[in-house]
Amino acid sequence: MFTGAILDNVQTVQGHVVPKSSISKLAYMKADAVGMLATGGTWHPKSLYDELISLLNPFFIIRVGGHRQSIDEFITWAYSVWFNVSNNKGIITIGNEPNLEGWQNDPVGYARFAIEVLRELDRLGVPAAVAAPGDIGSSAASFFWLDFLDAFGKYPDRLCVNLYAHNVNGYADYFRKSCQELYIGEVNTLDIPNRGPFLLESFKKLASVGVKAATIFIAGGYSDGAWDDRYVISAEDCYYLGDHKFEWENSVPLTDSFSDVYKDWVSQGGIDNNFRKHLLGIGLIKPTSEDLKMLALEAGASVTQLRNALSAYDFKE
């Protein structure tokens, strides 16, 4: 699963730029996903995409729109911004929280809009995802979602959802089972003292159910009253996530992460319980402390040799 944060909602139309401090936060957390904006007020420029690709080569979740637009205008915006993604790693989202931004009380209208947009972007070779309603868990969001699905005719193949606080555990499984590819556009909590551990556990949960990419809201920026400024993630929390990135990377079953290798392994008479050892042997995964203990003990290493080996090994990289 790709993970990172959304970059600042600076007023690029007024000449403002994303500060280096926000880009540094992405580096601190070892981000391989970045949330980008093409919303009218904020239009992250191509030079920023180029800088991020050079620094991180990330997967981009690009929020296009956010207000009610004509189909032609949205297609023009989406197609033009996709040219910025020179590494071809990313997804366009069709707006954001449509029940709150542009499509209030009109789930049928958003469904019809999404159908036409997806058809045209598919023809143009631009990957896109439907945006789920905001305020997940409320009755208003539930009714909007059900009416949308009825008009859309099926569950969307690709879906982008915003999940906050307890909703990560409450809805991640449901939405993942409802679509082929699930993206989390925004994840965060206002439990500031415990934000780092919360985000760590959230990423582990999302990775375990098969989410494609997830981004924290937000690396920086100014709310102007539209959202709580306390959502801006600290550099300390970014360092914490970078140090623990291996934990959610290991949350995905190895048989899923290396499905082709697993099929070959099984066809050659491999045993499921030995698959991790097989991956270690061919160098596809890096050993954990438990792996080293197992391998050392199997080789007959002494307790002293084992302790020395573990103390010299850096498990964070």
Side-chain angles (χ1 to χ4, degrees), residues 9-15 37-44 65 67 77:
N9 62 327
V10 295
Q11 293 298 307
T12 48
V13 294
Q14 298 177 12
L37 303 173
T39 60
T42 301
W43 191 285
H44 291 143
H67 63 282
W77 282 26

Side-chain angles (χ1 to χ4, degrees), residues 190-294:
L190 286 178
D191 183 7
I192 310 301
N194 298 307
R195 173 175 283 158
F198 164 81
L199 290 170
L200 171 60
E201 292 304 313
S202 295
F203 283 162
K204 288 165 67 175
K205 170 65 178 179
L206 297 173
S208 71
V209 301
V211 168
K212 183 83 170 179
T215 48
I216 300 163
F217 181 85
I218 187 169
Y222 304 94
S223 70
D224 293 324
W227 43 271
D228 195 316
D229 291 318
R230 292 177 296 168
Y231 279 123
V232 174
I233 189 172
S234 68
E236 291 74 18
D237 283 333
C238 292
Y239 275 120
Y240 177 86
L241 292 172
D243 286 343
H244 291 81
K245 186 177 178 68
F246 68 94
E247 293 191 33
W248 68 81
E249 289 182 328
N250 292 337
S251 296
V252 182
L254 292 175
T255 51
D256 292 342
S257 299
F258 301 93
S259 57
D260 290 340
V261 178
Y262 180 65
K263 290 176 183 176
D264 291 341
W265 173 241
V266 171
S267 68
Q268 296 170 18
I271 302 173
D272 190 20
N273 290 336
N274 292 334
F275 185 56
R276 181 177 184 85
K277 186 176 178 181
H278 174 65
L279 293 175
L280 288 167
I282 60 178
L284 286 181
I285 61 174
K286 189 173 182 178
T288 65
S289 60
E290 293 302 315
D291 293 325
L292 289 180
K293 290 177 185 177
M294 174 193 70

Side-chain angles (χ1 to χ4, degrees), residues 99 133-135 137-145:
N99 59 321
D135 196 18
S138 69
S139 59
S142 297
F143 286 131
F144 186 98
W145 178 239

